[in-house]
Amino acid sequence: MERAFQTALWLLQPGVVFILGDVFDEGKWSSSQAWADDVGRFWKIFRHPPHVQLRAVAGNHDIGFHYQMNTYKIKRFEKVFNPERLFSWKGINFCVPGTQSPADSTGGPWLISCPCLSFVMVNSVALEGDGCDICSGAEAELLEISHRLNCSREQEHRPQECGDGQQLPASAPILLQHFPLYRRNDANCSGEDAAPPDEKYTPFKERYDALSQEASRKLLWWLRPRLVLSGHTHSACEVLHGAGVLEVSVPSFSWRNRNNPSFIMGSITPTEYALAKCYLPCEDTVLTTYCMAAGGLVLLTLVHAGLVASPFHFGWNMLRKFKTT
């Protein structure tokens, strides 16, 4: 994983990297010391130059499912991955510095913007819809972001209630979250990194495998995104929601979860976007290569020690014997 990430940084030169949740495996259970150890290991693997922004949304393995989530776990996660409420982006070739809207400790969404683009990062674990304090705070922030986005779309005839605050880009935002929007299953997903056939038709459980229908409708209605990027399922899928909004479920980046991990490389403008999938080497290919290389080294060592005849010498003797006969 470390080699894959560092190679991708060097080769593709991205301006920003988004991780769609489940940064850690046992973050929801980790003690303070275990959490600190995991964070140190993460930054070793995903180290990056100062001009590259790395942002992460929370997943259920980071802060727990709704019944395990609490303010302490959310703050602990945000302290590592979102230390500033207001920050600028630099190094994006089509943007100048922008801002992130303030957020509180409810684990609600963040609105990241520059004069060209807006990205809304949502804590989808908090969209349970049961009225808990964290959930209510997250929905309140979503409504505030929705209001700001709607005002940005009315720049020529700006309503009085929009005020004179900083305007956001008029382009529709891109939604980033861990849980995918509601879908029945992965039956309509295709591709070599889609769910295996024996899992495709397994019904998704709302609020566990995907967001509820209600939460999904709210996100699409309030934010009106042009693209949704999600994770959680470990498999790839592309789904068209109402009004033609494309959702791309990004597969796992870890060999632990699948044999052919991948990531998405995107090029985004205020009106268009282009996505390409980049694959890591298959785990079995890497293991086979390592085994063959190890076997070759062992053979060379034995030949050098005189314990095994050189294959070339053996082949030459066989050729000479064939010629003489």
Side-chain angles (χ1 to χ4, degrees):
M1 186 184 296
E2 180 178 0
R3 291 181 183 177
F5 182 76
Q6 297 303 322
T7 301
L9 278 185
W10 172 78
L11 184 64
L12 301 175
Q13 297 291 309
V16 60
V17 177
F18 291 109
I19 299 180
L20 300 176
D22 283 358
V23 180
F24 305 110
D25 186 43
E26 299 180 352
K28 56 186 176 181
W29 297 308
S30 294
S31 65
S32 297
Q33 184 57 53
W35 175 264
D37 293 343
D38 288 343
V39 168
R41 181 169 176 264
F42 173 87
W43 288 124
K44 177 181 179 297
I45 295 173
F46 292 94
R47 61 188 182 277
H48 54 280
H51 67 272
V52 177
Q53 294 282 341
L54 189 148
R55 300 291 161 184
V57 297
N60 56 285
H61 280 273
D62 303 314
I63 61 175
F65 281 103
H66 174 262
Y67 59 89
Q68 299 170 311
M69 174 183 62
N70 56 43
T71 302
Y72 168 76
K73 294 177 183 178
I74 293 172
K75 284 185 175 181
R76 184 171 70 172
F77 183 87
E78 293 176 4
K79 183 178 180 180
V80 175
F81 295 103
N82 300 280
E84 301 175 69
R85 298 305 186 190
L86 183 66
F87 68 93
S88 297
W89 273 8
K90 296 180 180 179
I92 302 178
N93 57 6
F94 47 78
C95 283
V96 296
T99 60
Q100 174 182 347
S101 67
D104 57 25
S105 60
T106 61
W110 299 286
L111 179 65
I112 300 175
S113 67
C114 60
C116 307
L117 307 167
S118 292
F119 297 85
V120 182
M121 302 176 66
V122 175
N123 177 3
S124 51
V125 182
L127 299 182
E128 185 78 6
D130 64 348
C132 74
D133 290 342
I134 294 176
C135 301
S136 297
E139 289 202 6
E141 285 203 273
L142 279 172
L143 286 171
E144 173 61 25
I145 289 176
S146 174
H147 173 71
R148 294 182 61 192
L149 289 170
N150 289 335
C151 288
S152 72
R153 297 182 178 104
E154 303 291 340
Q155 293 184 359
E156 293 185 2
H157 306 285
R158 191 172 175 84
Q160 185 175 0
E161 59 268 19
C162 289
D164 298 323
Q166 182 182 12
Q167 295 186 20
L168 297 173
S171 61
I174 294 172
L175 180 59
L176 304 162
Q177 60 189 40
H178 180 63
F179 287 134
L181 297 175
Y182 173 78
R183 59 178 183 260
R184 292 183 178 180
N185 50 38
D186 275 352
N188 295 323
C189 306
S190 59
E192 59 183 292
D193 53 354
D198 59 330
E199 297 180 8
K200 277 190 172 185
Y201 297 93
T202 302
F204 276 8
K205 182 180 178 181
E206 295 185 48
R207 302 178 179 87
Y208 187 86
D209 298 308
L211 289 178
S212 67
Q213 297 183 58
E214 179 185 6
S216 300
R217 283 194 296 264
K218 285 180 178 179
L219 285 176
L220 292 174
W221 175 253
W222 290 344
L223 304 176
R224 290 154 60 184
R226 54 177 167 146
L227 174 67
V228 180
L229 298 175
S230 61
H232 187 56
T233 65
H234 300 165
S235 299
C237 191
E238 294 187 5
V239 182
L240 278 179
H241 297 282
V245 178
L246 175 66
E247 177 184 8
V248 178
S249 290
V250 183
S252 176
F253 189 67
S254 172
W255 279 336
R256 176 175 180 178
N257 297 318
R258 59 181 310 109
N259 184 50
N260 57 342
S262 63
F263 61 94
I264 296 291
M265 181 68 187
S267 177
I268 305 169
T269 70
T271 57
E272 298 178 344
Y273 60 83
L275 305 177
K277 187 172 294 183
C278 305
Y279 287 92
L280 277 65
C282 291
E283 184 178 23
D284 52 8
T285 301
V286 173
L287 293 177
T288 300
T289 303
Y290 283 167
C291 290
M292 292 179 64
L297 288 173
V298 170
L299 181 60
L300 287 175
T301 302
L302 294 175
V303 170
H304 182 73
L307 300 177
V308 176
S310 169
F312 302 104
H313 186 263
F314 176 77
W316 175 251
N317 288 337
M318 290 294 295
L319 182 61
R320 290 178 59 189
K321 182 178 179 181
F322 176 78
K323 287 183 177 179
T324 55
T325 57

